């Protein structure tokens, strides 16, 4: 067996672990333990083992140094080469990179973050609930989608302190229009301050109050089908209602992007059944079946689904 200096990463088929081997998992005490629907993964660096059952003649197997288990096949041992393989072999054993802290730091170093966004991000980090802010790589993707689309009229549901809306406003043309819906006045004050500092206040139409009311007002005002792009990052249990209203407001060929569709991995864990997780899981399934849109779920940030209205 090859053992890394510090950490271990095992990928095991759920159900293939032997009862007497369970203590191995718990005594390792890894930095993070993820439970997927058909795969167990202990992720905190270097050792990769194939998702095949191993033979063990030991009647008790509590520590690696005492274990006489024989691994059938070692896939890869590497301090940085971490990857995930779908448990369904019909996917061809495709190796997909696993995002580690060091790799994510590398990604962030390759984000072209405008100075004004950096300042906003740093201020938001001192505010309670700062984890609600989108990541720099997410904001960069949103801005690029707006640019690719040639969008001029956008909507954001859930502004918080304005990081994503500012990223969008910065790339909109001077005649661009962004409706920013937020119910928290305190966080919205921060957003408005940075809109002003960035010189984009004239592009942003701030709507303080419940997003449902703001979106319904836009429809009643005859603005259906007049928007190019929308971003949803608000109360997750309201996603379906926001989506239905935005589907009316966005034109054919326009985009609706939904944040937090992976919900910290909870959506894939059948043991997690809290109301918010169930809501996101159900919404994801409905999007899969919705023929009104083309979709692409991307594992960036906490997961985003990009929908194109047909």
């Amino acid at each position: 067996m090859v053992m890394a200096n510090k950490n271990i990463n095992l990928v095991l088929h759920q159900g293939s672990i032997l009862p007497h081997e369970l203590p191995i998992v718990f005594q390792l005490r890894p930095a993070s333990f993820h439970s997927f629907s058909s795969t167990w993964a202990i992720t905190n660096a270097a050792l990769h083992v194939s998702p095949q059952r191993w033979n063990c003649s030991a009647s008790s197997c509590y520590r690696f140094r005492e274990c006489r288990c024989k691994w059938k096949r070692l896939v890869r041992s590497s301090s940085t080469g971490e990857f995930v393989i779908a448990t369904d072999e019909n996917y061809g054993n495709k190796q997909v990179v696993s995002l580690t802290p060091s790799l994510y730091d590398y990604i962030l170093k390759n984000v072209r973050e405008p100075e004004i966004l950096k300042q906003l991000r740093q201020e938001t980090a001192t505010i309670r609930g700062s984890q609600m802010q989108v990541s720099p790589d997410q904001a960069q993707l949103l801005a690029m989608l707006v640019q690719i689309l040639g969008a001029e009229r956008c909507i954001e549901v859930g502004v918080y302190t304005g990081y994503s809306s500012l990223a969008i406003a910065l790339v909109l043309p001077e005649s661009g229009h962004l409706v920013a819906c937020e119910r928290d006045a305190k966080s919205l004050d921060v957003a408005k301050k940075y809109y002003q500092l960035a010189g984009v206040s004239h592009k942003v139409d701030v709507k303080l109050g419940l997003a449902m009311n703001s979106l319904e007002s836009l429809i009643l005002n005859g603005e259906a089908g007049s928007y190019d792009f929308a971003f949803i990052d608000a109360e997750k249990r309201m996603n379906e209602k926001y989506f239905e209203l935005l589907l009316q407001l966005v034109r054919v060929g326009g985009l609706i992007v939904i944040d937090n569709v992976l919900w910290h991995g909870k959506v894939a864990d059948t043991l997690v059944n809290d109301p918010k997780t169930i809501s996101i899981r159900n919404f994801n399934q409905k999007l899969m079946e919705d023929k009104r849109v083309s979709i692409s779920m991307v594992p960036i940030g906490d997961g985003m689904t990009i929908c194109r209205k047909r």
Side-chain angles (χ1 to χ4, degrees):
M1 179 182 294
V2 179
M3 189 70 70
N5 292 334
K6 297 181 180 179
N7 302 310
I8 298 170
N9 181 5
L10 304 179
V11 180
L12 313 173
H13 262 311
Q14 184 175 3
S16 68
I17 191 166
L18 300 176
H20 74 276
E21 291 161 341
L22 282 172
I24 295 176
V25 173
F26 295 108
Q27 291 196 25
L28 284 175
R29 301 185 184 279
S32 57
F33 179 79
H34 306 287
S35 176
F36 300 101
S37 59
S38 59
T39 303
W40 281 337
I42 303 172
T43 57
N44 194 15
L47 183 66
H48 294 266
V49 179
S50 69
Q52 295 186 10
R53 188 178 181 123
W54 57 89
N55 297 320
C56 178
S57 58
S59 59
S60 62
C61 178
Y62 295 95
R63 300 177 184 85
F64 275 112
R65 60 185 176 83
E66 296 176 3
C67 179
R68 290 174 289 173
C69 299
K70 304 296 181 183
W71 304 100
K72 280 191 174 181
R73 182 164 60 95
L74 183 65
V75 173
R76 179 179 295 175
S77 178
S78 169
S79 62
T80 58
E82 301 192 10
F83 58 83
V84 174
I85 300 177
T87 56
D88 187 340
E89 293 183 358
N90 290 323
Y91 287 97
N93 294 319
K94 174 67 178 178
Q95 297 176 7
V96 181
V97 67
S98 180
L99 199 59
T100 62
S102 60
L103 183 55
Y104 187 52
D105 285 342
Y106 179 82
I107 291 172
L108 291 178
K109 288 176 183 177
N110 283 273
V111 172
R112 295 176 179 176
E113 183 183 39
E115 183 61 30
I116 190 66
L117 280 177
K118 181 179 179 181
Q119 292 174 21
L120 172 54
R121 173 170 55 81
Q122 291 173 339
E123 179 171 338
T124 302
T126 67
I127 300 172
R128 182 178 180 181
S130 59
Q131 74 280 358
M132 293 190 293
Q133 178 181 262
V134 301
S135 58
D137 48 325
Q138 283 183 296
Q140 182 174 252
L141 176 59
L142 292 172
M144 179 172 283
L145 290 173
V146 168
Q147 289 176 303
I148 291 172
L149 195 59
E152 293 191 3
R153 289 171 59 80
C154 304
I155 302 175
E156 179 167 273
V157 177
V159 174
Y160 187 44
T161 58
Y163 190 86
S164 53
S165 56
L166 180 55
I168 292 170
L170 285 171
V171 299
L172 283 176
E174 281 301 302
S175 59
H177 181 71
L178 169 63
V179 176
C181 306
E182 175 58 53
R183 67 181 182 182
D184 182 68
K186 188 174 181 180
S187 60
L188 197 54
D189 284 341
V190 178
K192 288 190 288 186
K193 179 178 74 174
Y194 279 89
Y195 298 153
Q196 184 68 37
L197 289 171
V200 297
S201 293
H202 61 289
K203 301 180 187 179
V204 185
D205 180 10
V206 173
K207 303 286 188 182
L208 175 60
L210 296 178
M212 283 284 295
N213 296 339
S214 298
L215 298 179
E216 289 172 348
S217 294
L218 293 177
I219 294 172
L220 291 174
N221 195 41
E223 298 184 46
S226 68
Y227 288 87
D228 306 297
F229 179 90
F231 179 50
I232 304 175
D233 186 14
E235 171 52 50
K236 308 312 168 188
R237 283 173 286 189
M238 295 290 289
N239 275 352
E240 187 174 354
K241 292 182 178 179
Y242 294 145
F243 180 76
E244 289 299 327
L245 291 171
L246 289 171
L247 205 57
Q248 296 181 56
L249 288 162
V250 170
R251 64 171 172 83
V252 172
L255 299 182
I256 302 174
V257 181
I258 304 99
D259 196 19
N260 304 112
V261 295
L262 297 181
W263 201 232
H264 322 302
K266 293 179 182 179
V267 290
D269 190 341
T270 56
L271 297 179
V272 179
N273 290 297
D274 62 275
K276 194 166 288 190
T277 301
I278 291 174
S279 176
I280 296 171
R281 192 181 290 145
N282 290 342
F283 177 65
N284 289 343
Q285 184 59 42
K286 287 179 180 178
L287 282 182
M288 268 289 291
E289 300 166 356
D290 196 331
K291 302 304 181 183
R292 298 172 296 175
V293 291
S294 301
I295 64 169
S296 180
M297 180 183 284
V298 292
I300 183 173
D302 194 26
M304 296 197 305
T305 296
I306 303 168
C307 305
R308 179 180 182 273
K309 184 177 176 179
R310 291 177 171 174

